[in-house]
Amino acid sequence: MATVPELNSEMAAFQSGDENDLFFEVEEPQKMKSCFQAVDLSCSDESIQLQISQQHFNKSFRQVASLIVAVEKLWNIPAPCSWTFQDEDLRTFFSSIFEEEPLFCEYWDGELLVADVPIRQLHCRLRDEQQKCLVLSDPCELKALHLNGQNINQQVIFSMSYVQGETSNNKIPVALGVKGKNLYLSCVLKGGMPTLQLESLDPKQYPKKKMEKRFVFNKIEIKSKVEFESAQFPNWYISTSQAEHKPVFLGNNSGQDIIDFTMESISS
């Protein structure tokens, strides 16, 4: 996607109290009040001179549009000129005004959405405050247990995606996927009870910036600990049991369950 930087001080001579009386005169454009200072490319007209720089500029789109209008008028001035303005010159000129940035597209409820930047992700491991690790027990079930030695490699690596949601000073909306498995933690009602589950998703569509609310958790950092509150069910948290080898679940912070985790960031 092209962004429009601003023009530097050398081109600011085109600016006056009224931009339009400089660039949009229908009659006699050669009598403009301001002009470019020539460097090595110039026309012989006494009132208009043009400077082209490889420097990056930073001005408003209106000012750049005004500059384009001025360039168009230069083409039509019948003054003798030792250098002829060509299309190739304009392409070089535009490259110093516009910068290319990647454009990313995604779909939401059938509508095309455009995002300026890719989704920010962090790969990490989580342990509860008793140092129990999270492992993938069944294809779609997480359990918490103590690991040591070679078994430590059984820990799940999460791909934490920073997504859209209600952001506050201490809450950051994220989605938690199991790295390499296309599985995402989600919160749904089962038997009238908020329930945590692993849901399989299409890797061509997920993760995305605007995740469905059931996949969104509010990451809350408290000193060196972190909690994950369901955005779908406020005051319900990703929890582990005090007992060993029990499933990870969604709890309401009753005091008996563990909701505090330590997060270890790992390289991709």
Side-chain angles (χ1 to χ4, degrees):
M1 181 176 67
T3 59
V4 184
E6 298 200 40
L7 304 176
N8 70 356
S9 59
E10 294 173 345
M11 293 191 176
F14 260 109
Q15 302 304 312
S16 71
D18 184 356
E19 293 177 338
N20 293 340
D21 61 9
L22 289 179
F23 297 118
F24 298 102
E25 295 181 32
V26 177
E27 303 294 337
E28 299 181 343
Q30 69 273 18
K31 294 183 180 179
M32 292 180 178
K33 298 175 185 177
S34 302
C35 67
F36 291 146
Q37 297 301 315
V39 179
D40 56 347
L41 300 175
S42 64
C43 293
S44 60
D45 184 271
E46 62 180 3
S47 298
I48 298 179
Q49 294 177 314
L50 177 67
Q51 172 185 328
I52 295 180
S53 171
Q54 297 303 319
Q55 184 177 351
H56 288 283
F57 306 117
N58 224 357
K59 280 275 182 200
S60 69
F61 186 83
R62 176 184 177 86
Q63 290 165 325
V64 173
S66 298
L67 177 60
I68 293 172
V69 172
V71 170
E72 286 295 323
K73 290 191 174 188
L74 282 174
W75 282 48
N76 299 320
I77 294 175
C81 183
S82 59
W83 167 69
T84 304
F85 219 27
Q86 303 293 334
D87 288 342
E88 192 67 34
D89 301 314
L90 276 178
R91 280 194 288 270
T92 304
F93 187 47
F94 283 175
S95 68
S96 69
I97 297 177
F98 297 100
E99 297 175 4
E100 272 191 43
E101 289 186 358
L103 187 66
F104 299 87
C105 302
E106 60 184 33
Y107 289 87
W108 172 252
D109 290 342
E111 295 184 4
L112 179 65
L113 299 178
V114 177
D116 290 332
V117 293
I119 298 172
R120 180 187 163 207
Q121 282 192 318
L122 173 69
H123 295 135
C124 62
R125 295 188 182 99
L126 298 174
R127 294 187 184 187
D128 68 16
E129 64 180 5
Q130 290 185 351
Q131 295 302 302
K132 293 198 297 293
C133 302
L134 306 187
V135 301
L136 198 59
S137 175
D138 294 327
C140 290
E141 185 180 62
L142 285 175
K143 288 188 176 180
L145 65 156
H146 288 97
L147 296 176
N148 52 52
Q150 293 182 346
N151 293 334
I152 204 73
N153 293 327
Q154 296 179 18
Q155 287 185 91
V156 164
I157 298 176
F158 291 98
S159 294
M160 183 185 299
S161 303
Y162 291 81
V163 299
Q164 291 183 7
E166 297 180 7
T167 304
S168 64
N169 290 335
N170 64 336
K171 293 185 179 182
I172 300 173
V174 298
L176 290 170
V178 178
K179 184 183 178 184
K181 296 291 185 179
N182 303 323
L183 295 172
Y184 288 80
L185 285 169
S186 67
C187 303
V188 296
L189 275 178
K190 287 186 178 180
M193 178 72 66
T195 303
L196 185 71
Q197 65 178 15
L198 279 172
E199 191 171 331
S200 179
L201 297 177
D202 184 352
K204 295 180 180 179
Q205 298 185 25
Y206 294 87
K208 56 187 180 181
K209 189 68 176 176
K210 189 173 180 63
M211 296 286 285
E212 291 84 354
K213 197 171 184 178
R214 67 182 184 276
F215 296 109
V216 180
F217 295 89
N218 296 316
K219 182 168 74 76
I220 305 168
E221 294 186 11
I222 304 174
K223 295 183 179 180
S224 61
K225 304 293 183 182
V226 63
E227 300 172 355
F228 295 94
E229 178 193 33
S230 169
Q232 185 85 306
F233 304 105
N235 299 319
W236 288 76
Y237 299 82
I238 295 177
S239 306
T240 61
S241 172
Q242 298 282 348
E244 180 85 3
H245 214 284
K246 295 294 182 180
V248 180
F249 60 97
L250 202 63
N252 60 355
N253 194 19
S254 62
Q256 298 180 352
D257 305 320
I258 300 171
I259 65 170
D260 292 327
F261 294 86
T262 57
M263 186 174 73
E264 176 194 1
S265 299
I266 61 174
S267 60
S268 306

